[in-house]
Amino acid sequence: MTASAFMAEALAAARRVRGATSPNPPVGAVVVRDGTVVAVGATAPPGGPHAEAAAIAAAGDAASGATLYCTLEPCSPFPGKRTPPCSRAIVAAGITRVVVAIEDPHPGVSGEGIAFLRANGVSVESGDGRGEAVALLRPYLKHVRTGLPYVIAKFAASLDGRTATRTGDSKWITGAAARDLGHQQRAWVDAIMVGSRTVLADDPALTARPGGSETPRQPVRVVLDARGRIPATAAVLHGPGHAIVATSPDAPGAWKRAIAATGAHVIECERTAAGLEFDQLLPALAARGILSIWAEGGGTLLGSLFESGHVDELWAFIAPLVIGGGGLPAIGGGGATTVAEAWRLRDVVVESVGGDILVRGYTGGFDP
């Protein structure tokens, strides 16, 4: 269902705070009276007011008798909750009608907010802008339902699917516009993930730099290094924010101590034939408040994520060039044995980004 004009404004408010609210979901709300928006609110960083409370406070006395549009079901009381429940604030403000995009699957809410509003004489409608709200809240929805982070796999490749030449040269396969769009994505996710080979080959900073400038809030940088190979001098360990290095119990102890001395957090997971055990690593990252991951490769990491069923979304930037020969593949691992077994995207979007093409869509990893 396409969002109404008022819900579209609430969704726009939610998008503006995406990346600043985690592990809380980015939510937007607008108060409408006599066909006019009188206040707009959005979720504050953790510990601050939710979108509905912010909009009601901004509306003041105008909230009485008004309609509230919100992108997620207003919350209800539950153990551990740090802010007053928005459903109570709505009733107290005298709002008579609430339009909700989607219900909140959080076990402490899950319809209770809507039920409380209706029990107190507030008219409630749901479904306005559902598709847009679900797309925006996919990381939150997955985490609530599975306890795992939402994983977006990203690569930049040539027409023949190569991310570097046989010598390892990869700068730059795609143009400036595609690289900047990647930085815009980095700016809102909770973490960027790469494998040790990427760090050893490129020594990337892995910071979010849309428009060429580092954003004030930086995602966590996660490096998977089962054997303990990256140096303690690696740029990824010394940028703004903080880094996590995931390794195995049998990696050298002296190396782990050197990595920890940089301020990075070291997480140990069991090794698998493909690297590290994602069924251990991903819950550990979620427990640290990481709900969304932008996995940039290399091919070994992306192949492992696909083969273990942990990719939820794919962003493939394709440049109009051919590398050929022994160039490095975008996705490694064993791969599908038949075309019928290949991973297929759904809800596919194809768009031009400068001189490159972006193909993005959802995989079978999570379907809200």
Side-chain angles (χ1 to χ4, degrees), residues 122-135:
V122 180
S123 171
V124 182
E125 302 168 20
S126 63
D128 182 3
R130 173 179 170 77
E132 294 96 319
V134 167

Side-chain angles (χ1 to χ4, degrees), residues 268-303:
E268 290 190 357
C269 303
E270 297 299 322
R271 289 187 65 173
T272 67
L276 291 174
E277 179 54 75
F278 286 114
D279 287 338
Q280 295 177 8
L281 175 59
L282 293 178
L285 295 177
R288 287 166 169 77
I290 294 175
L291 274 60
S292 54
I293 296 173
W294 182 249
E296 295 200 0
T300 300
L301 170 62
L302 296 186

Side-chain angles (χ1 to χ4, degrees), residues 20-348:
T21 68
S22 192
N24 293 333
V27 177
V30 298
V31 177
V32 178
R33 189 181 180 91
D34 299 326
T36 302
V37 173
V38 296
V40 180
T43 307
H50 288 185
E52 301 94 323
I56 290 169
D61 293 341
S64 180
T67 295
L68 177 76
Y69 288 77
C70 48
T71 58
L72 185 67
E73 176 184 2
C75 58
S76 55
F78 57 83
K81 184 168 172 50
R82 293 178 292 181
T83 56
C86 294
S87 55
R88 271 57 172 174
I90 290 169
V91 172
I95 287 174
T96 57
R97 176 173 173 257
V98 173
V99 181
V100 176
I102 59 173
E103 293 187 8
D104 189 343
H106 190 289
V109 184
S110 191
E112 291 298 320
I114 290 175
F116 176 83
L117 293 174
R118 287 176 172 158
N120 284 271
V122 180
S123 171
V124 182
E125 302 168 20
S126 63
D128 182 3
R130 173 179 170 77
E132 294 96 319
V134 167
L136 177 64
L137 294 171
R138 287 177 72 89
Y140 171 75
L141 297 174
K142 181 183 180 184
H143 180 255
V144 168
R145 290 170 178 164
T146 69
L148 297 174
Y150 185 82
V151 179
I152 306 170
K154 173 263 180 182
F155 64 79
S158 60
L159 286 171
D160 54 336
R162 307 296 180 177
T163 59
T165 68
R166 59 182 174 80
T167 65
D169 181 48
S170 62
K171 295 184 178 178
W172 294 104
I173 288 179
T174 53
R179 296 197 300 274
D180 189 67
L181 182 54
H183 279 286
Q184 293 175 40
Q185 289 297 109
R186 284 182 176 184
W188 75 262
V189 295
D190 294 327
I192 302 169
M193 179 183 286
V194 298
S196 58
R197 290 183 182 178
T198 296
V199 173
L200 292 171
D202 301 330
D203 194 25
L206 295 186
T207 53
R209 305 184 302 278
S213 300
E214 288 184 348
T215 55
R217 173 257 180 207
Q218 287 288 322
V220 176
R221 301 177 297 281
V222 180
V223 180
L224 275 60
D225 189 353
R227 289 179 284 175
R229 300 192 300 165
I230 69 169
T233 56
V236 70
L237 303 177
H238 299 281
H242 78 275
I244 293 174
V245 177
T247 190
S248 63
D250 55 343
W255 173 82
K256 293 175 188 175
R257 291 189 291 273
I259 295 299
T262 69
H265 295 162
V266 177
I267 297 177
E268 290 190 357
C269 303
E270 297 299 322
R271 289 187 65 173
T272 67
L276 291 174
E277 179 54 75
F278 286 114
D279 287 338
Q280 295 177 8
L281 175 59
L282 293 178
L285 295 177
R288 287 166 169 77
I290 294 175
L291 274 60
S292 54
I293 296 173
W294 182 249
E296 295 200 0
T300 300
L301 170 62
L302 296 186
S304 296
L305 284 168
F306 268 103
E307 291 180 352
S308 61
H310 288 298
V311 175
D312 301 298
E313 188 173 336
L314 174 66
W315 286 50
F317 293 90
I318 308 299
L321 55 86
V322 175
I323 291 177
L328 301 179
I331 308 291
T337 56
T338 66
V339 173
E341 296 174 348
W343 299 283
R344 293 184 182 274
L345 302 185
R346 62 179 185 276
D347 299 331
V348 178

